[in-house]
Amino acid sequence: MALTCKEGTLERNESRYMYYLKEDADLGQQDAQEELATAYNRRNNEQEQILHYATLMTFISMVESEAKSHCTNCRKEAGSSPLKRCIRCLGAWYCGKECQVQHWTAGDKFDCIKSQ
């Protein structure tokens, strides 16, 4: 196993480990081939999770920017006056108190969940 010593502790050097693992797998060692396949699968799963997270964060950012630009109730564009945010859920934006009250009585009181 490829180990390096840093500040008095032994650590596994991943790049060296993979290098030697590939060498052993090329020589036909079954355990090395299985370990290499496991390592590649683990790396691919981590990359897929990172990609999924990045895509999700992009989508959330797009939804939030859209929500901030229009009143949740009347869909009026924000324009020059900034929208006011729902203090409870932090997810709804209103052009004024009148829209906030209308939206609340129309059913938002059931959907609005207190933000953590």
Side-chain angles (χ1 to χ4, degrees):
M1 186 172 295
L3 297 174
T4 57
C5 184
K6 276 189 180 174
E7 300 173 6
T9 59
L10 285 177
E11 293 181 358
R12 184 166 125 177
N13 184 326
E14 194 65 29
S15 60
R16 276 191 185 163
Y17 175 73
M18 290 300 288
Y19 172 79
Y20 290 123
L21 195 59
K22 288 176 191 173
E23 293 250 325
D24 289 345
D26 289 342
L27 293 173
Q29 292 187 8
Q30 186 67 30
D31 292 343
Q33 291 171 350
E34 290 172 5
E35 177 66 26
L36 191 59
T38 302
Y40 280 133
N41 286 337
R42 185 173 46 246
R43 187 186 69 192
N44 288 341
N45 287 341
E46 289 171 357
Q47 289 175 342
E48 286 176 13
Q49 287 175 351
I50 290 169
L51 180 62
H52 176 70
Y53 179 75
T55 305
L56 184 61
M57 293 308 295
T58 302
F59 177 72
I60 289 171
S61 175
M62 288 171 33
V63 169
E64 283 181 343
S65 67
E66 173 66 21
K68 291 177 189 175
S69 65
H70 292 85
C71 175
T72 303
N73 185 52
C74 68
R75 303 299 301 155
K76 183 176 141 187
E77 200 165 332
S80 60
S81 61
L83 298 176
K84 293 161 183 65
R85 194 174 202 178
C86 174
I87 298 299
R88 188 168 185 221
C89 70
L90 303 176
W93 295 80
Y94 302 103
C95 56
K97 181 146 180 83
E98 190 175 299
C99 276
Q100 183 181 10
V101 170
Q102 285 177 0
H103 191 241
W104 181 260
T105 56
D108 188 48
K109 58 184 156 194
F110 303 112
D111 298 333
C112 186
I113 299 169
K114 189 172 184 178
S115 177
Q116 297 294 333

